[in-house]
């Protein structure tokens, strides 16, 4: 009887404690769902949005370029010394005027086959003095565009990449030893995974024991630079999570992304960083995009391009440039990659991106970002989120779907009640499609594009 009484007493005690704890939590103004998530300043995400463009030397007038960049809200443009001349039509003044009229920064590179370091540094210094420089970049796809440096050929059809490696090493040293440029990051060559011999370009700095042809300690770059186009021979068809998977830093990615260039090189299998190191490796994308051709429609092209910026940023890419601002007219055929057609008319991609950057618009810096407690209940694998915070204190929760067809209806629960939120759909315009008040959950339908939930800054 004594033992039975003890068990009964313990059960009564435990029930009382659980009841009391339940009453406390029920009356609590903040019901934690998980560890609250820290927001990223909205301006930081917006600053990541870049584009590849042609310039006057390729038949695209500066005034039209300015107009297109302003409309879409791009914050940076990939550029460089290729096509640059003192006489024009593309001069250093072209890029200074582009910066002055739009505020965009410029990644400044050797571009395709370039090897003139003196010119890169000299012109880069001019851009830096004007506040127009974002970064310095190594060669564009030296597997396609070989280089000749100090009399030695490398990349392209050459059997060795040693000339490419020495050029990139010297670029890094030239930038870091220049008083006006040293603070700017250096981005690697693109497509180092195509190395034919192991010169170590799959590293930012060659570590001890890497057994590369260039010596350990050789410094090439501050950021890994990839061209992870979302359609690839190993991933040729439209599928769910197309942009999300292309931004994956692990071997699971089927495109020519971070792992294939800086993990295990795609041509010869030279080993670089392990998956844990790749997860935190500083990285950018200077080309990615989608061509409109069967079965990819203009609608798919548009949502792909908007989703690319979100997926890339969420998965660790500091900057992403999409190819292309406007369809090329200086090459054979209409390439159909552009936000704009060759006649400067905007595709849906331009309109959707304009709407997204307008909804999120924020040019001020956030001193310190806050936290928001929320959870997407029973999250489908095609639903992703990015928590931003505007400089006025409001949270902007961007939630997007990457379903090839159909939709997911999800509930977003918040750990506290909030006074008001406006919900935007960038595929329909810049005005709210819905307003909710005094809420601690929101039900929403997601298909193949983002919605923005802007939560009032008072946090109630």
């Amino acid at each position: 009887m004594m033992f039975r009484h003890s068990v009964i007493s313990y059960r009564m005690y435990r029930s009382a404690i659980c009841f009391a704890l339940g009453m406390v939590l029920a009356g609590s103004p903040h019901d934690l769902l998980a560890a609250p998530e820290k927001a990223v300043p909205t301006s930081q995400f917006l600053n990541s949005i870049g584009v590849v463009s042609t310039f006057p030397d390729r038949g695209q007038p500066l005034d039209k370029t300015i107009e297109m960049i302003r409309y879409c809200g791009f914050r940076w443009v990939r550029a460089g010394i290729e096509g640059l001349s003192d006489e024009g039509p593309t001069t250093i003044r072209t890029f200074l005027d582009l910066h002055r009229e739009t505020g965009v920064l410029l990644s400044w590179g050797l571009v395709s086959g370039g090897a003139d370091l003196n010119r890169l540094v000299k012109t880069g210094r001019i851009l830096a003095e004007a506040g127009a420089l974002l970064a310095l970049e190594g060669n564009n796809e030296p597997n396609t565009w070989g280089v000749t440096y100090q009399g030695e050929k490398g990349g392209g059809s050459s059997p060795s990449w040693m000339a490419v490696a020495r050029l990139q090493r010297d670029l890094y040293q030239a930038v870091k030893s220049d008083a006006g440029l040293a603070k700017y990051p250096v981005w690697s060559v693109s497509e180092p995974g195509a190395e034919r011999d192991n010169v170590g370009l799959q590293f930012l700095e060659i570590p001890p024991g890497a057994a590369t042809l260039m010596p350990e300690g050789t410094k090439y770059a501050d950021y890994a630079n990839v061209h992870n186009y979302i359609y690839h021979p190993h991933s040729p068809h439209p599928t769910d999570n197309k942009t999300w998977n292309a931004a994956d830093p692990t071997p699971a990615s089927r495109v020519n992304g971070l792992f294939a260039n800086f993990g295990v090189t795609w041509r010869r299998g030279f080993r670089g960083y392990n998956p844990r190191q790749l997860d935190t490796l500083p990285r950018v994308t200077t080309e990615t995009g989608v061509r409109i051709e069967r079965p990819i429609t203009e609608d798919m092209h548009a949502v792909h391009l908007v989703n690319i910026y979100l997926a890339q940023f969420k998965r660790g890419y500091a900057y992403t440039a999409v190819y292309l601002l406007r369809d090329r007219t200086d090459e054979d055929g209409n390439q159909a990659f552009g936000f704009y057609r060759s006649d400067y008319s905007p595709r849906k991609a331009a309109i959707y991106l304009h709407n997204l950057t307008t909804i999120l618009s924020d040019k001020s810096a956030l001193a310190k970002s806050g936290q928001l407690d929320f959870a997407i209940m029973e999250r489908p694998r095609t639903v992703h989120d990015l928590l931003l915070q505007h400089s006025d204190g409001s949270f902007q929760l961007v939630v997007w779907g990457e379903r090839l067809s159909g939709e997911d209806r999800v509930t977003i629960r918040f750990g506290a009640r909030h006074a008001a939120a406006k919900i935007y759909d960038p595929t329909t315009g810049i005005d709210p499609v819905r307003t909710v008040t005094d809420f601690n959950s929101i039900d929403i339908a997601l298909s193949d594009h983002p919605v923005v939930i802007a939560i009032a800054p008072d946090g109630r």
Side-chain angles (χ1 to χ4, degrees):
M1 291 297 294
M2 289 290 293
F3 176 74
R4 176 178 171 79
H5 177 74
S6 297
V7 171
I8 293 172
S9 299
Y10 170 74
R11 288 174 176 169
M12 292 176 64
Y13 173 76
R14 185 177 64 180
S15 297
I17 291 295
C18 291
F19 176 79
L21 182 59
M23 292 297 291
V24 169
L25 291 176
S28 172
H30 194 286
D31 180 14
L32 285 176
L33 299 170
E37 184 172 331
K38 186 175 181 180
V40 176
T42 301
S43 59
Q44 186 176 332
F45 167 65
L46 292 172
N47 288 343
S48 77
I49 298 175
V51 72
V52 181
S53 178
T54 55
F55 291 98
D57 61 298
R58 290 184 165 179
Q60 184 175 294
L62 179 60
D63 61 337
K64 287 290 189 181
T65 305
I66 290 170
E67 180 183 320
M68 293 184 288
I69 285 174
R70 279 178 174 167
Y71 179 76
C72 290
F74 296 111
R75 294 287 182 94
W76 70 281
V77 172
R78 188 190 191 207
I81 62 174
E82 183 181 348
L84 193 69
S85 70
D86 294 334
E87 299 79 22
T90 301
T91 67
I92 194 66
R93 174 54 55 186
T94 302
F95 296 101
L96 293 172
D97 289 345
L98 181 66
H99 165 71
R100 187 186 69 248
E101 294 296 327
T102 65
V104 294
L105 300 181
L106 301 157
S107 66
W108 197 241
L110 292 171
V111 204
S112 302
D116 192 340
L117 286 183
N118 289 334
R119 192 176 200 195
L120 182 76
V121 169
K122 179 181 178 181
T123 51
R125 195 182 299 123
I126 294 171
L127 295 174
E129 290 171 354
L133 186 63
L134 175 63
L136 286 300
E137 183 186 347
N139 286 110
N140 175 60
E141 299 184 358
N143 55 313
T144 302
W145 312 98
V147 305
T148 299
Y149 182 59
Q150 297 178 341
E152 181 182 11
K153 291 184 177 181
S157 59
S158 301
S160 175
W161 277 50
M162 188 61 76
V164 180
R166 288 172 176 154
L167 175 56
Q168 182 65 21
R169 174 201 62 190
D170 292 352
L171 186 161
Y172 190 86
Q173 291 177 352
V175 170
K176 297 306 177 181
S177 62
D178 186 282
L181 297 178
K183 69 178 182 179
Y184 292 93
V186 173
W187 296 350
S188 75
V189 303
S190 49
E191 297 297 337
E195 286 175 322
R196 292 180 181 272
D197 49 351
N198 192 1
V199 296
L201 283 164
Q202 69 272 28
F203 296 105
L204 303 183
E205 178 179 344
I206 298 177
T212 56
L213 297 176
M214 290 287 279
E216 62 185 50
T218 299
K219 294 182 179 180
Y220 288 129
D222 301 306
Y223 283 75
N225 173 15
V226 302
H227 288 177
N228 54 341
Y229 285 87
I230 68 174
Y231 287 90
H232 183 274
H234 293 159
S235 182
H237 305 297
T239 60
D240 290 349
N241 278 335
K242 195 67 179 175
T243 72
W244 185 254
N245 292 339
D248 192 333
T250 75
S253 176
R254 302 300 298 163
V255 307
N256 196 0
L258 193 69
F259 182 82
N261 285 284
F262 295 90
V264 177
T265 62
W266 57 263
R267 185 186 291 276
R268 293 286 173 84
F270 301 133
R271 292 199 169 272
Y273 296 103
N274 64 44
R276 179 182 55 82
Q277 293 168 321
L278 285 175
D279 191 50
T280 57
L281 191 70
R283 54 188 176 268
V284 301
T285 288
T286 53
E287 280 187 35
T288 182
V290 182
R291 179 174 178 162
I292 300 173
E293 58 183 345
R294 294 184 62 186
I296 303 162
T297 64
E298 183 176 331
D299 287 339
M300 292 175 65
H301 172 262
V303 295
H304 276 334
L305 294 195
V306 171
N307 289 344
I308 278 173
Y309 289 116
L310 294 164
Q312 291 270 127
F313 189 80
K314 178 70 175 187
R315 304 202 79 164
Y317 287 83
Y319 298 97
T320 297
V322 163
Y323 184 94
L324 183 67
L325 179 60
R326 166 182 168 261
D327 289 344
R328 298 288 289 266
T329 56
D330 62 322
E331 294 179 349
D332 292 339
N334 184 336
Q335 290 189 305
F337 277 94
F339 285 92
Y340 287 79
R341 302 177 186 89
S342 59
D343 64 359
Y344 300 98
S345 60
R347 286 199 173 99
K348 287 183 178 180
I351 296 168
Y352 292 177
L353 184 60
H354 162 81
N355 292 344
L356 179 65
T357 57
T358 301
I359 292 164
L360 297 177
S361 180
D362 194 6
K363 294 186 177 180
S364 300
L366 182 67
K368 184 179 180 181
S369 56
Q371 296 180 326
L372 183 68
D373 185 24
F374 72 96
I376 300 174
M377 312 308 291
E378 299 180 355
R379 180 199 296 261
R381 68 180 187 86
T382 54
V383 171
H384 314 288
D385 68 89
L386 176 62
L387 178 62
L388 305 174
Q389 190 170 21
H390 196 276
S391 59
D392 67 6
S394 61
F395 289 103
Q396 296 166 314
L397 177 59
V398 186
V399 187
W400 73 100
E402 287 204 46
R403 287 184 64 92
L404 191 59
S405 62
E407 67 178 20
D408 293 301
R409 293 188 174 273
V410 300
T411 297
I412 305 172
R413 285 194 58 202
F414 298 88
R417 299 198 73 82
H418 294 274
K422 294 180 179 179
I423 301 174
Y424 299 84
D425 183 342
T427 68
T428 65
I430 60 174
D431 296 321
V433 295
R434 182 178 158 202
T435 299
V436 293
T437 59
D438 190 26
F439 66 93
N440 64 359
S441 69
I442 293 175
D443 294 325
I444 202 161
L446 297 167
S447 56
D448 60 359
H449 64 272
V451 297
V452 179
I453 304 170
I455 302 173
D458 61 10
R460 293 193 303 271

